[in-house]
């Protein structure tokens, strides 16, 4: 049973426009969320994270929004650039008694930014 | 600064052969260490994690095993590979708790 879901396997966006990547989760114990970017044949690189005590975190062109009541988060990239083309993974973790805070990943969304 | 090394980058092995993938972390002590697998069309599946030397936890039943002989060394092994073991294997580390994990460059394993 998938605890972290990225329902869009792919997304195509024009350069300069906004990219919105979505992620849903089912485990209400998750309290820390992350986005990773991955190029083919490379390891994922960390982009941005958000704690459940916040509903927004911004870092340059990247903003993550968290809606706890809907168990939904999104990553906004503005403006999108061709170099942003990659697979984006959403991940979540929970730190509670008996948990190590291991990251649980979604299946990823492949973003293509067209010039 | 911390770095993570993972090797080899690619590996082609026959069915039934053994496997040993190695991962080492530099620049930190007592990291949490992880092995993930990315199979075709699937996300990153957590296989094993370790919070200390000799401490291994398995997330899914499988044909693989892991060991942590030293603080910053994590090894993924198999005695006899199956075709279904093919995939992209990633080692990662973090400081534990709710912190970001940092990944190695991955190993593309093809079992033939």
């Amino acid at each position: 049973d998938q605890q972290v879901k990225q329902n869009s396997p792919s997304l195509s966006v024009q350069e300069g426009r906004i990219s919105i990547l979505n992620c849903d989760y089912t485990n209400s114990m998750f309290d820390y969320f992350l986005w990773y970017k991955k190029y083919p044949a490379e390891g994922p690189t960390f982009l941005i994270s958000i704690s459940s005590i916040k509903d927004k975190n911004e870092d340059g062109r990247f903003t993550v929004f968290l809606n706890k009541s809907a168990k939904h988060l999104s990553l906004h990239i503005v403006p999108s650039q061709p170099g942003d083309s990659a697979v984006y993974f959403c991940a979540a973790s929970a730190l509670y008694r008996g948990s190590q805070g291991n990251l649980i990943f979604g299946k990823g969304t492949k973003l293509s930014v067209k010039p | 600064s911390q770095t993570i090394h993972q090797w080899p980058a690619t590996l082609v092995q026959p069915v039934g052969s053994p496997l040993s993938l190695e991962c080492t972390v530099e620049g930190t002590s007592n990291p949490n260490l992880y092995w993930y697998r990315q199979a075709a069309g699937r996300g990153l599946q957590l296989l094993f994690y370790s919070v200390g030397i000799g401490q291994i936890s398995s997330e899914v039943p499988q044909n693989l095993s892991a060991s942590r002989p030293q603080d910053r060394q994590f090894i993924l092994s198999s005695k006899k590979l199956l075709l279904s073991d093919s995939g992209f294997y990633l080692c990662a580390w973090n400081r534990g708790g709710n912190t970001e994990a940092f990944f190695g460059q991955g190993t593309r394993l093809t079992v033939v």
Side-chain angles (χ1 to χ4, degrees), chain A:
Chain A
D1 183 31
Q2 261 196 299
Q3 298 186 67
V4 178
K5 300 178 183 178
Q6 292 177 258
N7 292 319
S8 297
S10 63
L11 174 68
S12 183
V13 171
Q14 204 68 32
E15 181 179 6
R17 307 293 290 268
I18 183 171
S19 295
I20 300 176
L21 298 138
N22 293 304
C23 179
D24 298 293
Y25 60 96
T26 57
N27 188 343
S28 58
M29 298 296 288
F30 286 145
D31 54 5
Y32 185 62
F33 305 89
L34 311 89
W35 284 95
Y36 281 81
K37 175 180 180 181
K38 184 182 181 301
Y39 294 116
E42 293 185 9
T45 54
F46 169 72
L47 271 179
I48 191 169
S49 63
I50 187 167
S51 165
S52 61
I53 63 173
K54 294 185 175 182
D55 54 18
K56 177 183 175 181
N57 189 25
E58 195 170 351
D59 183 2
R61 297 187 297 115
F62 302 92
T63 303
V64 56
F65 295 91
L66 176 63
N67 183 333
K68 289 185 289 294
S69 61
K71 294 191 178 70
H72 176 85
L73 65 154
S74 60
L75 175 68
H76 293 208
I77 307 174
V78 181
S80 302
Q81 299 173 354
D84 295 329
S85 297
V87 177
Y88 288 78
F89 287 98
C90 170
S93 69
L95 194 62
Y96 54 88
R97 183 178 298 179
S99 164
Q100 297 299 327
N102 297 329
L103 295 182
I104 307 299
F105 284 83
K107 290 187 176 182
T109 297
K110 184 176 182 179
L111 173 66
S112 299
V113 180
K114 301 188 183 305

Side-chain angles (χ1 to χ4, degrees), chain B residues 56-75:
Chain B
I56 309 294
S57 297
S58 173
E59 286 292 296
V60 293
Q62 58 201 298
N63 183 43
L64 302 168
S65 62
S67 62
R68 184 170 178 174
Q70 300 180 45
D71 181 43
R72 291 171 288 178
Q73 183 185 28
F74 206 23
I75 297 172

